[in-house]
């Protein structure tokens, strides 16, 4: 089970390349290093199961989560490319894709975001992040967030499955979000829906969450 991960949220201009590289080294290359260690023996034995804790943000980018989503997209692409070869050796690969999870990890991330310096971006972007994104994120976590124990139960079901799924989303509330992307390959439907949700109907969104 690959579960190592770090988070990052905020305006792109305010994030250093060093921090971005550190995130990718943990979230993506950490997984690559693990798979390189365990896959050869699994192939020799012609049996095994690699379970990767990904994220719904590996399927759908979220505003102000550019680098974190990029790392999870990399995880998804890596596993999707590897799974067919692995199956030839009777090795299963499963991606567990949670939405928000209520942990100290997330709490620390948002506490740091509230204290951060946003002078390197323009005032409008800083205002959108602090007064729209952070406020809505707290409502999302309190309304839709899962416990670590819930994610563990989902992961156990994937591990024990007779035919392990390649993808398993733990929160049905995010299924429509992922479906939008597949409904319109041009991306227009998804982009328009998210733009309206963030900038036109944010009050309705917050009311619905509460």
């Amino acid at each position: 089970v690959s579960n190592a991960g770090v988070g990052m949220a905020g305006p792109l201009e305010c994030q250093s390349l060093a921090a971005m590289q550190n995130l990718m080294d943990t979230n993506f290359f950490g997984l690559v290093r693990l798979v390189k260690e365990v896959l050869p023996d699994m192939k020799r034995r012609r049996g095994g199961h690699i379970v990767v804790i990904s994220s719904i943000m590996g399927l759908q980018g979220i505003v102000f989560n550019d680098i974190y989503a990029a790392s999870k997209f990399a995880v998804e692409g890596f596993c999707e490319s590897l799974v067919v070869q692995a199956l030839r050796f009777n090795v299963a690969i499963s991606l567990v894709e949670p939405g928000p999870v209520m942990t100290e990890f997330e709490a620390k991330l948002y506490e740091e975001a509230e204290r951060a310096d946003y002078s390197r971006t323009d005032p409008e972007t800083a205002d959108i992040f602090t007064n729209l994104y952070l406020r809505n994120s707290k409502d999302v976590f309190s309304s839709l967030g899962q416990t670590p124990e819930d994610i563990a139960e989902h992961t156990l079901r994937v591990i024990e499955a007779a035919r392990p799924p390649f993808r398993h989303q733990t929160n049905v509330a995010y299924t429509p979000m992922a479906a939008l992307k597949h409904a319109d390959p041009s991306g227009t439907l998804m982009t328009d829906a998210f733009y309206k949700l963030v900038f036109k109907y944010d009050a309705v969104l917050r009311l619905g969450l509460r």
Side-chain angles (χ1 to χ4, degrees), residues 72-121:
K72 292 302 184 178
F73 267 66
V75 163
E76 296 268 336
F78 173 72
C79 292
E80 193 169 285
S81 300
L82 194 61
V83 66
V84 173
Q85 178 205 146
L87 285 172
R88 178 69 177 175
F89 294 88
N90 196 37
V91 176
I93 296 176
S94 296
L95 289 156
V96 177
E97 298 162 335
V101 184
M102 297 177 291
T103 65
E104 291 182 8
F105 172 94
E106 300 291 349
K108 182 182 177 185
L109 181 66
Y110 287 107
E111 284 174 10
E112 290 174 352
E114 288 177 341
R115 296 193 305 266
D117 175 19
Y118 299 114
S119 60
R120 283 175 291 173
T121 190

Side-chain angles (χ1 to χ4, degrees), residues 146-160:
Q146 294 176 275
T147 65
E149 291 78 12
D150 193 15
I151 303 304
E153 289 292 336
H154 277 271
T155 304
L156 181 61
R157 289 201 292 272
V158 168
I159 291 170
E160 292 181 335

